[in-house]
Amino acid sequence: MQVNNSTGSKDVFRPKIVAFCCNWCSYAGADLAGTNRLNYPADVKIIRVPCSCRVNPLFVLQAFQRGADGVIICGCHPGDCHYTSGNYYARRRMTLLFSMLDFMGIEKGRTRVEWVSAAEGAKFADTMNDFVSTVTALGENRRLEDLRCRK
Amino acid sequence: MSKQKANALREEILRISNVDPLKCMRCGKCSATCPAYDEMNYHPHEFVYMVERGAVEELLDDTSIYRCLSCFACIDRCPRQVEPAKLIEAVRNTCLRKQGANHFKADMLPGKLDPELPQQAVVSAFRKYAK
Amino acid sequence: MHRIGVFVCHCGTNIASTVDVKAVAEAAAKEPGVVFSADYQYMCSEAGQNLIKDTIKEKNLTGVVVCSCSPRMHENTFRKAVSAAGLNPYLLEVANIREQCSWIHKDIKDGTEKAIVLTRAAIAKVVLNAPLVAGTSPVTKRALVIGGGIAGIQTALDIADAGFEVDIVEKRPTIGGKMAQLDKTFPTLDCAACILTPKMVEAAQHEKIRILSYSEVCGVKGFVGSFKVKIKRKARFVKEDVCTGCGLCTEKCPMKRVPNEFNLGMDERRAIYIPFAQAVPKVAVIDPDHCNMLKNGKCGVCAKVCSVGAIDYKAQDSFVEEDYGAIVVATGFEPINIDAYDEFAYSQSKDVVTSLEYERLMNAAGPTGGKLLRPSDGKHPHTIVFVQCVGSRESDGSPKCGKSYCSKICCMYTAKHAMLTREKYPDTEVYVFYIDVRTPGKGFDEFYRRAAEQYGVHYVKGMVGKVVPENGVLKVRAFDLIAGEQLQINADMVVLATAIEPDKTARPLATLLTASMDTNDFFTEAHPKLRPVESPTAGIFLSGACQGPKDIPETVAQAGAAAAKVVGLLAKDSIVCNPCVAHSDEKLCNGCSRCERVCPYGAITYVDKEFKMPDRSIKIRRVSQVNEAVCQGCGACTVVCPSGAMDLKGFSTEQLRAEVDAICK
């Protein structure tokens, strides 16, 4: 099974999580979580973006298509965007996308937008722990995965 | 008391009270604020520290646990939200549960009955003290 | 054909202890396009960088992936190394396998697998990297300092002495800040005014410094090197250039009962006032909330007595817009509101005061003229209790909104207060209740010991639990942890060492500047150890207590450091821009204007351009163009573009999709 490629045991389901993190807040928050040695599951893989508004909804869809089990987008707190207003765009776009995904039968727990500032290492780790356990409980994403993408 | 047993008791107290004694920064504000201070042998800050160290037996055997008024002044004023009163209440509960004996028999009731006493109090007295 | 080199760093044992670096290097070697893969102890060391440089030349690499710490740490280091070897610096990617991998995972298997995936994603991205050339943008050779306390004054003086123009914006009518309110300064006990006021005058007289007092920053546009700042100059109702500061108006004004904020409301001032005798600028100001003339149009006394005709009741708030190359934040601190701590009876008794109020009571220019008198009845106090850590060092989420940090200065100023009180009034018993006495600093612990040993201040380890005002006496119930007994003290005064927090204006200012703050509203620094006076936002610098609690020596040191950084920036004629900016493919652009509307910087404009059509005809089409000097590279435009014409260099759609693919593989 492909989803198990990041774990030793084949029995335990380990989700694949893609996290888009804004360079100015959440990516630095993730670094801070590391500096403080706060654990969160290795299933989370972070992609650095300059701002949460750089995340095209297509990236989220593509992640699901390629077999991701959950996608989380982290940006600056409202009002604190490094580029003034990028996180508002992200919030609006993702609200639309998530409601469409919900309509298509993708559980709401698989997608999330979270605000994590550069100083909130603990919040980053908590968020990731919570998100991974939510997605693990939901199980494998079968609905959107394109089986042709499996090798 | 064996060390193991004391440890189990400590865990039990921490579980009941949901208090983390490690949060205490030892400022003594709880004991500074306690109105029942003079009545107690062990004072709120000592409760926190003794539970942390696992010295639960001394607390169980002492009358201090019954002197706490549960006024919650220590909870209100603790800068670290340690909540000593909850800890004392938990020690008190452990004491009652530990003994497990029948402290309140039905035939004791008529002597203690007060017409002003609400029905609820009688029921909870049985719950708490009777086996 | 791509020729990628992968370099995996051990970072001593930081990475190697939870990631099998050899396995990562081996796995990377199998990725398509990778021609070289190796691990090394410290990639950031000179030897490590030389390894990169040599390999680029030897293997003729077209891209480099370094698996190491966060790119926020060493991306620039490696970019420089890559560029020294003749490769474009933007053909480098860093896989973050320390902060986001080895440090958070305990299991070596988990860590290694994740590191391999992160490396794979970085390889997938670097294959699509394009060489980028950074443009330059000019630097406006002026600096703005926001806040006119000791931090702001010192920063401004240091920048001005280096030959650059500086503006100080101060929201109050005078500069000086909190230090102007202090009596003496620890640990040398020199008078605050004696060392501060010469600096204030120096700032006012410096030809390169302009002081915009009674003003606020209300809009910031632009970026490092060319900020455009809108400053609101609040109506003073007194012409600043005409008023001589004679003070006659402040004596004649009939509105006498206005609480004096400089003395923290412990005495009264008039509706027209000069905050304090050494104010800079020494110009009167009318308080519009209390002036009868401004409220009802009846009075006009100040205008009648003013011999130079400086009063202008019709003055309006005005706005100025200025260009700056750098901005220094020096907004300082204020004591927290302690209304929630009703156990200390602050709101019930006038004799319970905060330390800053006590500072004014001790000050010769204060409400009591420097005599220590109880605020309630004006009698001399014989027993004073100092309580430390009021609102500091509380647990997170404290219901009283206390602060989780140590306010740092309280131990020292309390020792100072206790010492001065005992020195002036040896008949006064002084108790200091402390949890810990924290005195790290040059001569600080000696100072505290002197207070205890030579001045006979009673230091008691423990806290005050309750203060009850009763018949003019403050009954203090406290606990002595060492003696193990509850104490009852009948005190005449109680002084609360109130926690300090960032000034209330800091949060909205941070939003204007897009500078980041921590959860306590202190500005965050670009790096906690290596870049302590810079904000992560380029061109914004931090000075003084806006970044964290600080005493005066530390504030002055940081102010100088911030000034040095500003001078370093202003000394340049131009700065290198971020080349990771948006770029529009004119052939794909359909002229819909969506990108123009979402751009927060106005970097996108539309132009009519001639295009040669396949049939050799010429067609004029409206296409978007990005001003690369203005674009900051957020990428908002790339997502709204319906035709896919807009893309972000360095974070292109292709690259990010490749990363998604690599992670999900």
Side-chain angles (χ1 to χ4, degrees):
Chain A
M1 264 290 285
Q2 237 224 322
V3 284
N4 286 334
N5 68 354
S6 64
T7 172
S9 146
K10 298 264 177 210
D11 318 314
V12 191
F13 166 63
R14 296 283 299 263
K16 254 190 248 175
I17 310 263
V18 179
F20 291 96
C21 288
C22 138
N23 179 43
W24 303 97
C25 293
S26 325
Y27 195 86
D31 280 354
L32 185 64
T35 313
N36 293 340
R37 313 295 198 274
L38 304 169
N39 290 83
Y40 57 87
D43 312 311
V44 179
K45 313 285 191 311
I46 295 170
I47 296 181
R48 182 160 76 129
V49 287
C51 176
S52 49
C53 71
R54 178 64 190 95
V55 181
N56 197 317
L58 289 175
F59 300 164
V60 180
L61 290 173
Q62 183 176 349
F64 281 123
Q65 183 198 25
R66 301 294 153 104
D69 300 300
V71 177
I72 181 164
I73 293 139
C74 299
C76 308
H77 284 271
D80 290 348
C81 175
H82 183 76
Y83 303 103
T84 327
S85 53
N87 49 0
Y88 295 130
Y89 292 129
R91 179 166 67 180
R92 193 172 283 199
R93 284 168 193 160
M94 294 309 152
T95 311
L96 267 176
L97 175 72
F98 294 170
S99 83
M100 186 195 82
L101 287 174
D102 187 38
F103 175 75
M104 289 164 67
I106 306 299
E107 299 89 339
K108 277 198 167 152
R110 292 193 190 278
T111 49
R112 191 181 288 189
V113 172
E114 197 73 51
W115 312 131
V116 182
S117 82
E120 294 175 327
K123 186 181 175 188
F124 187 86
D126 289 347
T127 305
M128 289 308 156
N129 278 317
D130 182 59
F131 188 61
V132 170
S133 66
T134 312
V135 175
T136 311
L138 288 170
E140 216 183 319
N141 151 43
R142 293 172 198 277
R143 219 174 277 264
L144 260 191
E145 187 182 357
D146 188 340
L147 294 176
R148 289 169 301 179
C149 294
R150 284 197 185 178
K151 278 193 191 129
Chain B
M1 199 185 287
S2 73
K3 203 168 182 188
Q4 206 176 5
K5 206 173 154 198
N7 223 359
L9 210 53
R10 176 176 169 272
E11 293 306 315
E12 169 89 352
I13 290 169
L14 295 183
R15 191 183 56 78
I16 298 174
S17 60
N18 198 19
V19 165
D20 180 5
L22 295 178
K23 287 200 316 199
C24 174
M25 65 168 169
R26 322 215 192 291
C27 68
K29 201 172 179 184
C30 45
S31 291
T33 207
C34 182
Y37 182 89
D38 294 336
E39 311 286 320
M40 298 170 121
N41 295 323
Y42 295 115
H43 305 107
H45 76 283
E46 287 167 292
F47 268 87
V48 177
Y49 191 44
M50 287 168 79
V51 171
E52 185 190 323
R53 285 188 311 151
V56 185
E57 198 181 358
E58 291 93 316
L59 296 178
L60 287 173
D61 292 342
D62 196 83
T63 52
S64 298
I65 50 177
Y66 304 108
R67 302 285 178 239
C68 168
L69 300 168
S70 299
C71 70
F72 295 163
C74 49
I75 292 187
D76 181 55
R77 289 167 199 166
C78 175
R80 306 291 310 171
Q81 291 177 282
V82 178
E83 308 186 317
K86 284 193 184 171
L87 203 61
I88 299 172
E89 173 70 19
V91 177
R92 200 153 43 201
N93 280 343
T94 320
C95 188
L96 296 171
R97 286 179 200 180
K98 184 193 79 169
Q99 287 158 356
N102 205 349
H103 297 277
F104 195 46
K105 297 191 184 73
D107 48 8
M108 289 159 74
L109 186 61
K112 292 186 186 287
L113 209 56
D114 183 333
E116 300 279 310
L117 204 64
Q119 191 71 24
Q120 187 67 42
V122 179
V123 176
S124 39
F126 270 108
R127 252 193 217 141
K128 212 166 176 180
Y129 300 110
K131 204 171 182 182
Chain C
M1 185 57 204
H2 295 290
R3 301 179 60 79
I4 310 293
V6 180
F7 302 86
V8 187
C9 180
H10 296 214
C11 196
T13 56
N14 278 312
I15 293 171
S17 65
T18 35
V19 168
D20 183 350
V21 281
K22 293 246 175 332
V24 175
E26 278 164 28
K30 292 185 193 129
E31 290 294 312
V34 175
V35 293
F36 179 85
S37 176
D39 58 282
Y40 188 75
Q41 205 113 54
Y42 288 104
M43 282 317 300
C44 58
S45 68
E46 202 180 337
Q49 293 189 42
N50 285 339
L51 175 68
I52 299 178
K53 289 178 199 166
D54 296 344
T55 317
I56 291 174
K57 285 177 194 150
E58 241 168 67
K59 303 268 175 185
N60 200 14
L61 297 182
T62 59
V64 172
V65 170
V66 181
C67 308
S68 61
C69 51
S70 171
R72 295 168 53 86
M73 186 84 193
H74 271 315
E75 194 172 46
N76 265 335
T77 316
F78 294 129
R79 275 193 181 147
K80 276 184 197 146
V82 166
S83 130
L87 202 62
N88 184 287
Y90 292 88
L91 295 174
L92 164 101
E93 282 300 323
V94 176
N96 186 346
I97 61 166
R98 191 177 79 175
E99 279 87 346
Q100 295 181 5
C101 188
S102 73
W103 275 353
I104 40 173
H105 306 311
K106 293 203 176 85
D107 184 44
I108 191 154
K109 201 162 177 341
D110 267 6
T112 309
E113 273 163 7
K114 181 169 174 179
I116 291 172
V117 174
L118 293 176
T119 308
R120 208 196 286 149
I123 296 168
K125 189 179 178 196
V126 82
V127 163
L128 297 163
N129 274 17
L132 301 178
V133 180
T136 57
S137 74
V139 176
T140 310
K141 294 191 177 279
R142 289 174 80 204
L144 171 68
V145 176
I146 304 171
I150 179 64
I153 293 172
Q154 186 63 46
T155 309
L157 282 172
D158 288 351
I159 298 172
D161 283 343
F164 297 101
E165 285 181 18
V166 192
D167 286 357
I168 301 177
V169 169
E170 167 59 51
K171 66 177 176 183
R172 293 186 193 84
T174 169
I175 59 168
K178 288 283 178 298
M179 189 174 168
Q181 289 174 287
L182 305 185
D183 179 35
K184 300 269 166 39
T185 54
F186 60 78
T188 47
L189 293 182
D190 36 5
C191 133
C194 312
I195 53 177
L196 175 70
T197 44
K199 277 203 182 294
M200 290 162 63
V201 173
E202 197 188 336
Q205 291 174 347
H206 204 294
E207 55 174 3
K208 298 275 186 190
I209 298 180
R210 184 168 66 137
I211 297 172
L212 303 171
S213 62
Y214 214 43
S215 304
E216 276 168 28
V217 171
C218 59
V220 180
K221 278 189 204 146
F223 46 90
V224 53
S226 47
F227 290 106
K228 263 200 179 345
V229 181
K230 198 172 170 193
I231 300 162
K232 176 180 167 184
R233 309 220 54 193
K234 291 184 275 187
R236 225 184 163 108
F237 306 105
V238 176
K239 290 175 196 145
E240 205 174 321
D241 42 352
V242 180
C243 174
T244 58
C246 69
L248 191 61
C249 51
T250 66
E251 287 161 22
K252 301 288 179 200
C253 173
M255 297 301 291
K256 292 179 184 173
R257 307 199 66 83
V258 185
N260 182 359
E261 49 279 82
F262 186 71
N263 283 332
L264 302 154
M266 290 188 294
D267 66 350
E268 281 146 355
R269 59 162 170 82
R270 312 291 173 105
I272 184 164
Y273 65 104
I274 296 174
F276 55 97
Q278 300 91 345
V280 170
K282 196 166 181 191
V283 173
V285 56
I286 296 180
D287 179 347
D289 296 334
H290 293 95
C291 172
N292 232 346
M293 187 68 186
L294 290 172
K295 282 201 310 194
N296 314 319
K298 288 177 198 147
C299 183
V301 170
C302 47
K304 275 178 216 138
V305 298
C306 182
S307 55
V308 291
I311 311 290
D312 173 15
Y313 296 117
K314 292 205 173 63
Q316 298 274 321
D317 291 353
S318 59
F319 294 88
V320 288
E321 205 167 76
E322 298 283 352
D323 292 334
Y324 300 101
I327 298 177
V328 182
V329 183
T331 46
F333 73 92
E334 59 190 340
I336 65 164
N337 182 333
I338 49 169
D339 287 349
Y341 297 88
D342 49 2
E343 66 261 34
F344 297 124
Y346 178 70
S347 53
Q348 296 161 43
S349 170
K350 278 186 171 178
D351 297 334
V352 181
V353 296
T354 66
S355 292
L356 194 55
E357 288 166 0
Y358 195 75
E359 198 80 50
R360 293 311 300 156
L361 287 174
M362 299 282 280
N363 192 305
T368 54
K371 284 198 202 81
L372 181 58
L373 302 172
R374 302 208 313 175
S376 64
D377 52 10
K379 282 190 192 145
H380 170 60
H382 292 281
T383 308
I384 303 181
V385 169
F386 287 86
V387 187
Q388 301 252 271
C389 300
V390 176
S392 300
R393 305 177 63 194
E394 301 225 333
S395 52
D396 279 330
S398 115
K400 294 180 178 175
C401 304
K403 303 296 169 186
S404 56
Y405 49 85
C406 165
S407 295
K408 197 171 186 177
I409 54 175
C410 324
C411 287
M412 284 305 290
Y413 69 59
T414 301
K416 172 189 81 179
H417 287 161
M419 191 188 274
L420 290 173
T421 309
R422 289 283 295 164
E423 187 179 67
K424 278 192 188 166
Y425 309 99
D427 60 330
T428 304
E429 286 299 310
V430 174
Y431 296 88
V432 177
F433 285 90
Y434 67 93
I435 303 172
D436 299 289
V437 178
R438 295 180 165 174
T439 51
K442 201 171 168 183
F444 283 15
D445 205 63
E446 295 90 323
F447 183 81
Y448 148 59
R449 289 316 308 162
R450 248 168 65 212
E453 291 169 22
Q454 290 174 21
Y455 289 84
V457 176
H458 306 296
Y459 269 84
V460 185
K461 182 166 171 66
M463 253 317 242
V464 168
K466 181 97 182 143
V467 177
V468 183
E470 222 174 80
N471 305 327
V473 176
L474 298 167
K475 291 195 180 282
V476 177
R477 188 154 64 206
F479 192 72
D480 183 336
L481 274 163
I482 310 259
E485 61 180 14
Q486 209 177 41
L487 303 176
Q488 301 275 0
I489 298 171
N490 289 337
D492 299 314
M493 273 184 85
V494 171
V495 184
L496 307 175
T498 316
I500 58 173
E501 65 180 356
D503 194 271
K504 292 276 183 296
T505 55
R507 172 58 74 176
L509 182 67
T511 305
L512 286 179
L513 297 171
T514 69
S516 56
M517 284 189 139
D518 64 17
T519 43
N520 292 312
D521 279 5
F522 285 115
F523 282 86
T524 43
E525 53 281 5
H527 188 281
K529 288 149 206 135
L530 303 177
R531 294 172 68 193
V533 298
E534 293 156 84
S535 160
T537 305
I540 311 288
F541 301 88
L542 311 173
S543 174
C546 65
Q547 179 256 342
K550 274 185 197 64
D551 57 24
I552 294 167
E554 258 185 282
T555 298
V556 172
Q558 205 200 9
K565 290 282 172 191
V566 170
V567 169
L569 170 64
L570 297 188
K572 291 178 191 151
D573 292 321
S574 63
I575 43 167
V576 177
C577 301
N578 169 22
C580 296
V581 291
H583 171 78
S584 166
D585 184 343
E586 288 170 349
K587 291 198 183 74
L588 290 176
C589 177
N590 64 8
C592 70
S593 291
R594 286 196 198 174
C595 50
E596 190 185 7
R597 283 197 291 268
V598 296
C599 180
Y601 300 97
I604 299 172
T605 45
Y606 273 81
V607 289
D608 290 322
K609 214 169 171 181
E610 289 179 0
F611 284 88
K612 270 191 193 141
M613 301 310 280
D615 60 357
R616 294 181 175 247
S617 67
I618 293 205
K619 197 176 166 189
I620 293 176
R621 281 178 49 219
R622 190 170 169 272
V623 292
S624 72
Q625 267 186 352
V626 179
N627 180 346
E628 296 198 346
V630 179
C631 174
Q632 295 296 297
C634 68
C637 51
T638 59
V639 181
V640 289
C641 181
S643 58
M646 196 60 90
D647 211 345
L648 187 64
K649 293 179 191 168
F651 291 96
S652 72
T653 306
E654 280 301 305
Q655 287 176 307
L656 293 173
R657 288 178 61 175
E659 278 191 271
V660 170
D661 278 3
I663 286 174
C664 296
K665 202 149 74 181

